[in-house]
Amino acid sequence: REDGWFKGTLQRNGRTGLAVSAMSRLAVVCGGSRGIGKAASRLLAERGCRLAVVSRNEDAARAAVASLPGDDHVAFSCDVSKEKEVRETFETIQKTCGNISYLVNAAGINRDALLLRSKPEDMVALLHTNLLGTMLTCRAALRSMLHTPGAAIVNIGSVVGLKGNAGQSVYSASKAGLEGFTRSLAKEVASRGIRVNLLAPGFIRTDMTAGLKEDVVRSVPLGRFGEPEEVAQAVLFLLESSYVTGQVLVVDGGLQLAM
Ligand code: NDP
């Protein structure tokens, strides 16, 4: 059929074998206003998903939504490190948009500094946004996802969470924490058919890396920065697969090989 429910990509749910259309799916992308989250939102919208884009800056979230194909998407202002905001935002999403199929946790910050020079308030902000924020959004989304066949979560970690990096000890700890969290949550919810995976990017060209010198790519075997769209492709793979859970997918142009 060319209209309605069957338009879009048909997928099969891993547990039930039911066919599910991407068009019927609601995807929440935290950190969807810029960078990797914005690219993932675009790709998901192109696949026919309805998007709920979440970031602190409401204008930026609205602008990101306005740039998406389709007109059924919604923007939400929410700081993922604040439990009450997260709880209320996800309650509103469920009430106004329905059950969540996909959750992408791309909200993140960096505060690079040697540990001796790190400010305690920056350390707290890193852990609260990158690690606690992901835990809070997963918790807030899960109840809704229990009702959705083929539901899946992708958390965005980092290659430095796997390998470590001088000047990024706290950031790396926040991302390493996501690995244990993702694997454990995958075990907790597998019996309900929900999959949870971690994506670990290397140097990706976004606002976060705008201050880096071009010569950092000398350490990257592929010899260049990755583009947000290249990470988005991997996000889509993890969301749309049906038998991958509790895994870490590295998208880094080979950087990890050289670390
Ligand atoms: P950007 O800085 O381009 O975008 C970050 C996004 O997160 C924005 O939408 C921002 O919106 C949102 N955000 C930040 N803090 C919060 C918060 N407390 N609550 C809600 N939203 C928030 O970063 P990237 O796209 O580069 O990074 C995305 C993820 O990928 C991050 O977790 C990052 O650590 C990770 N990563 C990035 C790499 C890179 O090279 N770029 C490498 C490895 C990992 P707003 O400011 O309006 O809240």
Side-chain angles (χ1 to χ4, degrees):
R1 279 172 54 180
E2 279 306 305
D3 59 332
W5 203 83
F6 289 97
K7 205 159 90 181
T9 308
L10 277 179
Q11 302 166 58
R12 287 196 184 277
N13 171 256
R15 273 180 83 222
T16 63
L18 289 174
V20 179
S21 162
M23 195 175 195
S24 63
R25 294 183 162 257
L26 171 66
V28 180
V29 179
C30 298
S33 65
R34 291 188 274 125
I36 292 169
K38 187 176 181 185
S41 298
R42 166 159 286 277
L43 204 49
L44 285 162
E46 284 169 3
R47 300 289 284 193
C49 290
R50 182 180 189 196
L51 266 294
V53 170
V54 176
S55 74
R56 288 168 301 182
N57 182 327
E58 191 168 359
D59 289 343
R62 278 185 202 283
V65 158
S67 73
L68 296 174
D71 50 14
D72 206 16
H73 313 297
V74 273
F76 291 90
S77 162
C78 167
D79 182 337
V80 296
S81 69
K82 306 238 160 66
E83 194 275 332
K84 187 166 178 280
E85 278 187 38
V86 171
R87 185 167 25 88
E88 289 175 356
T89 300
F90 277 79
E91 278 169 10
T92 308
I93 290 174
Q94 180 157 19
K95 251 186 233 151
T96 55
C97 307
N99 286 327
I100 298 165
S101 291
Y102 296 147
L103 172 65
V104 179
N105 280 306
I109 56 168
N110 63 346
R111 298 274 192 280
D112 295 352
L114 296 171
L115 187 63
L116 280 175
R117 292 189 186 152
S118 294
K119 295 184 193 142
E121 57 269 31
D122 285 344
M123 298 162 79
V124 169
L126 278 168
L127 294 173
H128 279 190
T129 304
N130 296 357
L131 183 55
L132 180 66
T134 296
M135 294 170 173
L136 291 175
T137 60
C138 286
R139 192 176 69 147
L142 271 178
R143 218 169 276 287
S144 163
M145 297 178 100
L146 290 173
H147 304 289
T148 326
I153 298 172
V154 173
N155 297 326
I156 308 291
S158 168
V159 73
V160 303
L162 310 175
K163 289 291 184 175
N165 194 29
Q168 290 193 301
S169 61
V170 183
Y171 176 83
S172 301
S174 72
K175 296 299 188 178
L178 286 178
E179 185 181 353
F181 173 71
T182 300
R183 291 194 197 279
S184 302
L185 186 61
K187 287 185 179 181
E188 277 185 26
V189 297
S191 64
R192 312 304 295 265
I194 303 172
R195 296 174 306 99
V196 192
N197 289 290
L198 184 72
L199 199 152
F203 292 120
I204 309 301
R205 199 183 299 281
T206 67
D207 293 349
M208 189 175 275
T209 54
L212 292 179
K213 295 196 178 107
E214 278 295 321
D215 64 4
V216 295
V217 299
R218 268 195 258 149
S219 58
V220 180
L222 285 184
R224 62 174 177 86
F225 277 87
E227 299 301 328
E229 292 72 21
E230 294 178 289
V231 182
Q233 282 171 4
V235 171
L236 190 71
F237 163 73
L238 289 173
L239 291 175
E240 290 194 341
S241 63
S242 50
Y243 206 51
V244 181
T245 196
Q247 298 305 303
V248 180
L249 178 57
V250 179
V251 181
D252 69 346
L255 176 62
Q256 191 189 200
L257 304 171
M259 288 177 94

